[in-house]
Amino acid sequence: MHDHTHSCDCHPEHHDPDHHHHDPEMNEYIPPLYLLAGTLLPPVESDPATLIQNIAGIIDHTLLKPDATSDHIRQLCEEAVTHGFYSVCVNSGFVPLASQLLEESDVKVCTVVGFPLGANLPEIKVMEAEIALLAGADEIDMVLPIGALKAGNYEWVMADIQGVVETCYGYNALCKVIIETALLTDDEKVVACQLAKAAGADFVKTSTGFASGGATVADVQLMRQTVGNTLGVKASGGIRTRQDAISLIEAGANRLGASASIRIING
Amino acid sequence: MHDHTHSCDCHPEHHDPDHHHHDPEMNEYIPPLYLLAGTLLPPVESDPATLIQNIAGIIDHTLLKPDATSDHIRQLCEEAVTHGFYSVCVNSGFVPLASQLLEESDVKVCTVVGFPLGANLPEIKVMEAEIALLAGADEIDMVLPIGALKAGNYEWVMADIQGVVETCYGYNALCKVIIETALLTDDEKVVACQLAKAAGADFVKTSTGFASGGATVADVQLMRQTVGNTLGVKASGGIRTRQDAISLIEAGANRLGASASIRIING
């Protein structure tokens, strides 16, 4: 386990398996999950010096190319075990394989939902998350509905994120919200982060890696500033070197998504 | 209706709503749908001269960009009605809006599944298709699992396509299979088309528009040659001019996916 990241162990009430099993006769009021966001969660570990001590432990080792084969995924999983990466991040078609290969290890399985366009129906994202979690995923990186955000349809955006957050919650899985910074203005980035936090997401994440740009120091700073210290910030897209990684961690990232992971940890 | 395309009206048994409602007591043998492929279906209209007479009538007027807003979709639908395009092709988040806007028109609503990577679990594609069809989609353009194809895992590819085909069948909806030519060798393109045909798809389609390349004359010729004249061939990706469209139709395409649709029909 990667205790130093605190990205998993620091949310005890989020991971309480009894939460959903209250006695219905008690008529106990349980507030919607999103109302708890930022009020009860302890701070995430975001001290750069601590995180930089073990960069491998905060990397989602990623392979999402459409032509990746099961052999590529096998190699990805082996690399993750060898180097102690936090997780592998793969398309859902490979979640059963990656889960099986990593069963005996501490490496998590992360997958993507509504990816990379974010423009499918909220109901579809919920079902996609549900099926991926049933197949063994530990974390879900979802893309928010970018067009709805730009049109100011925040109810749609909230419902879209909440659906996946609540699905993840039922599986003790983390939910990261990809805001796709390359397509947003700074104002839209701030609103996107506020909505993700209000909807109960565990992380905001910069990029899919399929848009025109990836993670920048300025965007990570803005996102960390917006969500505060109770949510994670994942930087992803175009991270190629150890120095890239360090700059993004110093800007506020406490998780990195990368395919150049081995190069990153080797300097 | 666009009878000249024959892409919808030519499959009467495919559209028989009673097909699934046979008396279970009869113990009637109903062969799997994919066994019927190419044996019972009448030829599609693919005579270039006939198709070129009304290019608008074979265009799926397409807007799949992740940052498209509902205003953009409204405009797309208005253009489709004005110019008599066959359909609008939108991400599923906009299917309810497009369905509603086009209810009184002959313009169909087409949407995408497993798009654009094709790498999610088959079960997810089935649910995605089901939800999109319930929301009002008339046609489903799905991306096949490219990595499984490349690895020679044809059982996976068949199961993946069949799941969506059979879901579409229950809604009298057409299923097109995007093979993403830019990522395939010629041999892989041939196998992809054979599998799509064997799985009961209605069309093979060249491209998502999100890979490095789009429709080429050579690829459309190869695809038409492979599937014969009982399946449709949709050319998509990078079609910018009327001459592009004519070349692809002459190569064997009987449906076009384009965002430059107005420019195409105006020469």
Side-chain angles (χ1 to χ4, degrees):
Chain A
M1 298 299 294
H2 304 284
D3 288 343
H4 57 280
T5 71
H6 288 213
S7 45
C8 215
D9 301 328
C10 66
H11 296 182
E13 78 289 354
H14 189 119
H15 291 265
D16 176 2
D18 294 332
H19 181 95
H20 283 302
H21 305 293
H22 65 284
D23 183 346
E25 307 248 281
M26 296 288 290
N27 247 339
E28 180 191 358
Y29 172 70
I30 301 204
L33 177 61
Y34 64 86
L35 289 182
L36 303 177
T39 59
L40 295 179
L41 302 183
V44 297
E45 177 62 66
S46 59
D47 172 53
T50 309
L51 295 172
I52 290 167
Q53 276 173 23
N54 180 9
I55 291 181
I58 61 166
I59 289 180
D60 292 338
H61 190 37
T62 301
L63 179 54
L64 295 166
K65 287 185 186 164
D67 52 352
T69 67
S70 46
D71 282 347
H72 298 134
I73 302 302
R74 277 190 194 92
Q75 186 186 339
L76 188 83
C77 291
E78 282 169 22
E79 290 168 353
V81 171
T82 302
H83 298 285
F85 295 129
Y86 182 79
S87 78
V88 294
C89 184
V90 299
N91 281 299
S92 62
F94 296 112
V95 165
L97 175 63
S99 282
Q100 188 194 341
L101 293 173
L102 297 170
E103 202 172 14
E104 306 291 314
S105 80
D106 290 335
V107 180
K108 306 281 188 193
V109 177
C110 172
T111 192
V112 291
V113 160
F115 191 89
L117 304 181
N120 32 21
L121 281 165
E123 297 88 333
I124 289 173
K125 293 184 191 179
V126 168
M127 288 305 310
E128 186 171 18
E130 183 95 29
I131 294 170
L133 290 161
L134 278 169
D138 301 299
E139 306 200 349
I140 298 288
D141 289 14
M142 67 167 289
V143 185
L144 60 69
I146 300 163
L149 177 75
K150 286 187 169 284
N153 192 347
Y154 300 145
E155 286 185 13
W156 179 295
V157 179
M158 277 290 282
D160 187 273
I161 300 173
Q162 278 175 30
V164 178
V165 164
E166 293 180 8
T167 305
C168 288
Y169 190 69
Y171 290 83
N172 288 338
L174 293 189
C175 179
K176 313 192 193 86
V177 175
I178 304 170
I179 70 171
E180 197 68 296
T181 48
L183 300 179
L184 304 183
T185 65
D186 278 358
D187 284 350
E188 289 166 346
K189 292 169 201 167
V190 169
V191 175
C193 288
Q194 289 169 333
L195 292 171
K197 181 172 180 171
D202 298 288
F203 270 82
V204 289
K205 173 177 168 183
T206 60
S207 313
T208 62
F210 288 84
S212 55
T216 68
V217 164
D219 283 339
V220 169
Q221 281 172 338
L222 181 62
M223 291 165 71
R224 172 58 71 198
Q225 185 187 323
T226 305
V227 300
N229 66 354
T230 55
L231 256 67
V233 174
K234 176 173 170 181
S236 58
I239 308 176
R240 299 260 165 265
T241 67
R242 183 176 175 84
Q243 189 49 57
D244 290 345
I246 289 173
S247 303
L248 293 163
I249 293 168
E250 287 174 342
N254 63 329
R255 189 78 71 86
L256 306 173
S259 50
S261 321
I262 295 175
R263 180 173 166 189
I264 288 168
I265 58 168
N266 288 339
Chain B
M1 298 300 295
H2 304 284
D3 289 344
H4 56 281
T5 70
H6 288 214
S7 46
C8 216
D9 302 328
C10 66
H11 296 182
E13 78 289 353
H14 191 116
H15 291 264
D16 175 3
D18 295 332
H19 181 98
H20 282 303
H21 303 295
H22 65 284
D23 184 345
E25 305 249 283
M26 295 289 290
N27 247 338
E28 181 190 357
Y29 172 69
I30 301 203
L33 177 62
Y34 63 86
L35 288 182
L36 304 177
T39 58
L40 296 179
L41 302 184
V44 296
E45 177 62 68
S46 58
D47 172 53
T50 309
L51 295 172
I52 291 168
Q53 275 172 23
N54 180 9
I55 291 181
I58 61 167
I59 288 179
D60 291 338
H61 191 37
T62 301
L63 179 54
L64 295 167
K65 285 183 187 165
D67 52 351
T69 67
S70 46
D71 282 347
H72 297 135
I73 302 302
R74 278 191 193 90
Q75 184 185 338
L76 188 82
C77 291
E78 283 169 21
E79 291 168 353
V81 171
T82 301
H83 298 284
F85 295 129
Y86 182 79
S87 78
V88 295
C89 185
V90 299
N91 281 301
S92 61
F94 296 112
V95 165
L97 175 63
S99 282
Q100 188 193 340
L101 293 172
L102 297 170
E103 203 173 11
E104 307 290 314
S105 80
D106 290 336
V107 179
K108 307 282 189 192
V109 177
C110 172
T111 192
V112 291
V113 160
F115 191 89
L117 303 181
N120 34 19
L121 281 165
E123 297 88 334
I124 289 173
K125 294 185 190 179
V126 167
M127 289 305 309
E128 187 171 19
E130 184 95 31
I131 295 170
L133 290 162
L134 278 169
D138 300 300
E139 306 200 347
I140 298 287
D141 290 13
M142 67 167 288
V143 185
L144 61 67
I146 299 163
L149 177 75
K150 285 186 170 286
N153 192 347
Y154 301 144
E155 286 184 14
W156 179 294
V157 179
M158 276 291 281
D160 188 273
I161 300 173
Q162 278 175 31
V164 179
V165 163
E166 292 180 7
T167 305
C168 289
Y169 190 69
Y171 290 83
N172 289 340
L174 293 190
C175 179
K176 313 193 193 85
V177 175
I178 304 171
I179 70 170
E180 198 67 296
T181 48
L183 299 180
L184 305 183
T185 65
D186 279 356
D187 284 349
E188 289 165 346
K189 292 168 201 166
V190 169
V191 174
C193 289
Q194 288 169 334
L195 292 171
K197 181 171 180 172
D202 298 288
F203 270 81
V204 289
K205 172 177 168 182
T206 61
S207 313
T208 61
F210 289 83
S212 54
T216 69
V217 164
D219 284 338
V220 169
Q221 281 171 339
L222 181 62
M223 291 165 73
R224 172 58 71 196
Q225 185 187 326
T226 305
V227 300
N229 66 354
T230 55
L231 256 68
V233 174
K234 176 173 170 181
S236 58
I239 309 177
R240 297 262 166 264
T241 66
R242 183 175 175 84
Q243 189 49 55
D244 290 345
I246 290 173
S247 303
L248 293 164
I249 293 169
E250 287 174 342
N254 63 330
R255 189 79 70 86
L256 306 174
S259 49
S261 321
I262 296 174
R263 178 172 167 189
I264 288 169
I265 58 169
N266 289 338

